[in-house]
Amino acid sequence: MMKFLRKHRHWLMVVIAILAIPFIFYFVQRPDYGAMRSDRFARVYDRNVSMLEAQQTARLFDLAQALGMSDFVQSLTAGAGQNQNQAYAQFILNLLVLRHEADRLGIRPSTSEVADRVRNLPAFNGNGGFDFKKFGDFVQNGLAPRGLGEEHIEQLVRDELCLNQIKQLLAAGVSIPEAEINANYERSYEKLYVSVIRFRPADFEKEIKVGDDDVQKYFETHKTELKSEEKRKVEVVSLALSDDQKKLTGKERIEILQ
């Protein structure tokens, strides 16, 4: 048997190679080129947002929907339409922008405001208002499977309150006193009656006589205005040698210089 294998080893190698090819294509998976991309999801406010951070924020999108925060979700995903991936992307980016702007504007909802909003969330309300049993069931069955905790509910509620305050700031108008409005209107549209008096220089030139004393007095009074900086005029004579003369040496050069 061993002699047979040694004698036909080359053919056996070919057969083994042919049989191995299907197994290679079947068991060896194609590389996940998507996973080979950069870990950066986006760049916002001069900082990189990692894929891990984006995935964590995406879980908040699902949580907000489960809590019944429909207005909040719609505000952060406006324009995404039915594209779920686009909705996730917009929610992540808009939430980052919202938190940045709220911090920049100094908007920080109080603990009582957050607690009141949590009690009014649709997911925790029954016929008699806030249902603690629903809250407990949601914490156990709605948060744990997503890898989230109660603090994430408070965080989302805080984000919603910040968004509402920013909307109020943008919608608030500037109050202008009625007297100022009327004054501006009158300045723009009121009719003005103006009287014009014309003076002809020729009618006054005959009666005006200017003497030397008047000129001297005017000069003394406006001396600083009439004063001008010193000026000098300089004339320069150049006795330079030409290019051919510069090439001369010895006696010839001395004669030229004299």
Side-chain angles (χ1 to χ4, degrees):
M1 183 67 179
M2 294 300 297
K3 292 181 179 179
F4 176 82
L5 293 175
R6 291 193 187 98
K7 183 178 180 180
H8 301 283
R9 63 181 182 274
H10 296 293
W11 289 103
L12 287 173
M13 293 298 295
V14 173
V15 172
I16 292 172
I18 294 173
L19 293 175
I21 289 174
F23 287 91
I24 293 173
F25 283 101
Y26 182 80
F27 289 104
V28 178
Q29 301 294 326
R30 291 187 303 171
D32 185 2
Y33 293 104
M36 295 170 61
R37 293 179 297 179
S38 172
D39 184 55
R40 189 177 73 177
F41 172 77
R43 185 171 179 81
V44 182
Y45 294 113
D46 292 330
R47 80 173 184 89
N48 293 330
V49 180
S50 66
M51 292 298 297
L52 178 61
E53 182 180 357
Q55 292 169 0
Q56 292 173 345
T57 309
R59 290 202 294 268
L60 296 180
F61 174 81
D62 297 330
L63 176 60
Q65 288 184 317
L67 291 172
M69 303 171 67
S70 56
D71 292 341
F72 177 71
V73 173
Q74 289 176 5
S75 296
L76 296 188
T77 59
Q82 301 298 323
N83 190 326
Q84 190 70 4
N85 292 332
Q86 184 67 22
Y88 274 109
Q90 283 196 211
F91 181 87
I92 294 169
L93 295 175
N94 287 333
L95 186 60
L96 293 174
V97 173
L98 169 62
R99 290 175 177 175
H100 181 275
E101 293 302 316
D103 182 67
R104 185 179 66 85
L105 295 172
I107 300 176
R108 297 178 181 85
S110 64
T111 305
S112 60
E113 290 176 330
V114 174
D116 290 340
R117 177 55 182 148
V118 170
R119 283 192 291 268
N120 291 321
L121 288 173
F124 306 145
N125 274 258
N127 296 330
F130 179 73
D131 190 334
F132 189 79
K133 185 178 183 302
K134 285 188 175 183
F135 178 81
D137 292 341
F138 188 90
V139 170
Q140 183 176 358
N141 302 319
L143 294 181
R146 294 186 174 94
L148 303 174
E150 295 181 28
E151 66 276 8
H152 293 97
I153 297 177
E154 297 179 3
Q155 185 180 24
L156 273 179
V157 168
R158 189 173 289 105
D159 293 331
E160 183 186 40
L161 294 174
C162 288
L163 177 62
N164 293 338
Q165 291 189 37
I166 291 176
K167 286 182 177 180
Q168 291 176 3
L169 289 175
L170 295 175
V174 179
S175 179
I176 302 176
E178 185 177 355
E180 185 176 349
I181 296 175
N182 294 335
N184 290 332
Y185 178 83
E186 290 176 358
R187 280 196 297 268
S188 301
Y189 300 101
E190 184 182 16
K191 292 183 179 180
L192 300 177
Y193 298 91
V194 181
S195 299
V196 179
I197 301 176
R198 294 182 178 179
F199 296 94
R200 296 180 180 179
D203 296 337
F204 300 93
E205 289 177 354
K206 299 177 182 179
E207 301 178 0
I208 297 175
K209 295 181 180 181
V210 180
D212 294 339
D213 295 338
D214 296 327
V215 174
Q216 183 65 29
K217 184 178 180 181
Y218 181 85
F219 174 76
E220 295 294 338
T221 306
H222 300 82
K223 186 182 295 185
T224 56
E225 300 175 12
L226 300 174
K227 185 178 179 180
S228 60
E229 298 294 334
E230 294 183 358
K231 296 181 180 179
R232 292 180 176 83
K233 184 177 181 181
V234 179
E235 294 182 357
V236 180
V237 178
S238 177
L239 302 176
L241 299 177
S242 64
D243 293 338
D244 294 335
Q245 291 174 338
K246 291 178 181 179
K247 297 178 182 179
L248 298 176
T249 59
K251 185 178 179 180
E252 294 178 349
R253 185 178 180 87
I254 294 173
E255 291 178 353
I256 293 297
L257 292 174
Q258 292 178 348

